Amino acid sequence: MTAPMHLASQLAVNVLDARSLLTAFGALGVGVVLFAETGLLVGFFLPGDSLLFTAGLLCTDTADRAVHLSLAPLLAAAAVGALTGAQCGYLIGRRAGGALLARSRSRRLHEGAKRAEELLERYGYAKAIVLARFIPVVRTVLNPLAGALEVPVRTFTLWQVAGGLVWSLGVTFAGYALGSSIPDVDRYLLPLVALVVLVSLTPLLAEVLRSRRDARAKGAQQ
């Protein structure tokens, strides 16, 4: 493949499709996507969970050899992207306050901010920062929100590192372990990724149902 054709294929990548991202950019793409998803509000739509899981699958010998990743560089890229992204988001929140979020017209982003604030109020800083890693959109907005709310730097850094490592390495290892145990795992890639996305959305759906239940209970008492 010539250089112009290779560049064109990279520019044509589908950022919402984990397989497309990994084919174009490999492990480096994982780090960049996780940094954008956890550090920049514009990255809230990126497929962090499915990307990590799919990347783990593609590190195994049973996966499609056309897209094969090495586990060690992948883990390093995932960890660096997740940790530096969260810290960057926090610093943006400290400097800009809620201004960036207030300017956004994305309903999904504002709903994520509401869930993030509820997590902080309900569980406290440590548990909320760790739990947010496993909730799409919330893991994007909680970091700048924590900065805007002036969560202590040491507290935020400690727990975002703990949560970031558990999330990024854990989901990647889950994909790797499953890929290592299932022959021709590529046949099941789409349903497996769909399952990962569904599981990752479960905490958010549970919070939505809880909020609606609490709202109905308050309405009945009035």
Side-chain angles (χ1 to χ4, degrees):
M1 182 182 293
T2 64
M5 292 178 63
H6 181 65
L7 178 61
S9 68
Q10 288 185 321
L11 293 175
V13 67
N14 180 1
V15 296
L16 299 180
D17 180 67
R19 186 65 173 269
S20 178
L21 282 165
L22 292 168
T23 300
F25 303 111
L28 178 62
V30 174
V32 173
V33 167
L34 294 192
F35 178 88
E37 189 192 16
T38 59
L40 308 174
L41 288 175
V42 294
F44 71 92
F45 62 89
L46 292 170
D49 294 306
S50 59
L51 182 65
L52 288 169
F53 188 81
T54 303
L57 285 175
L58 296 178
C59 288
T60 64
D61 293 333
T62 59
D64 180 5
R65 298 299 297 184
V67 186
H68 186 76
L69 303 176
S70 297
L71 185 60
L74 172 61
L75 293 174
V80 170
L83 301 188
T84 58
Q87 205 68 28
C88 177
Y90 174 83
L91 293 174
I92 290 173
R94 292 276 287 200
R95 292 178 178 274
L100 292 177
L101 184 61
R103 292 174 188 168
S104 174
R105 297 181 180 180
S106 171
R107 179 179 177 183
R108 187 181 176 194
L109 195 61
H110 283 283
E111 288 176 349
K114 182 180 178 182
R115 301 292 170 235
E117 196 163 3
E118 288 175 354
L119 277 178
L120 287 168
E121 292 177 356
R122 184 177 181 185
Y123 297 112
Y125 295 155
K127 193 172 182 180
I129 291 168
V130 173
L131 287 176
R133 287 290 192 171
F134 298 88
I135 308 176
V137 184
V138 175
R139 64 172 160 260
T140 302
V141 296
L142 184 133
N143 302 319
L145 186 62
L149 295 175
E150 297 187 352
V151 174
V153 176
R154 183 176 297 180
T155 299
F156 177 82
T157 302
L158 172 64
W159 294 107
Q160 77 91 352
V161 168
L165 290 176
V166 171
W167 172 63
S168 62
L169 303 186
V171 177
T172 303
F173 271 124
Y176 180 78
L178 192 61
S180 298
S181 60
I182 300 178
D184 299 323
V185 70
D186 278 14
R187 296 180 182 179
Y188 315 103
L189 186 57
L190 288 178
L192 285 171
V193 169
L195 179 61
V196 170
V197 172
L198 180 62
V199 170
S200 69
L201 289 174
T202 299
L204 183 59
L205 293 174
E207 280 295 315
V208 170
L209 292 175
R210 182 192 64 79
S211 298
R212 290 181 177 178
R213 185 174 62 249
D214 291 345
R216 285 197 299 267
K218 290 180 180 178
Q221 292 174 358
Q222 293 178 351

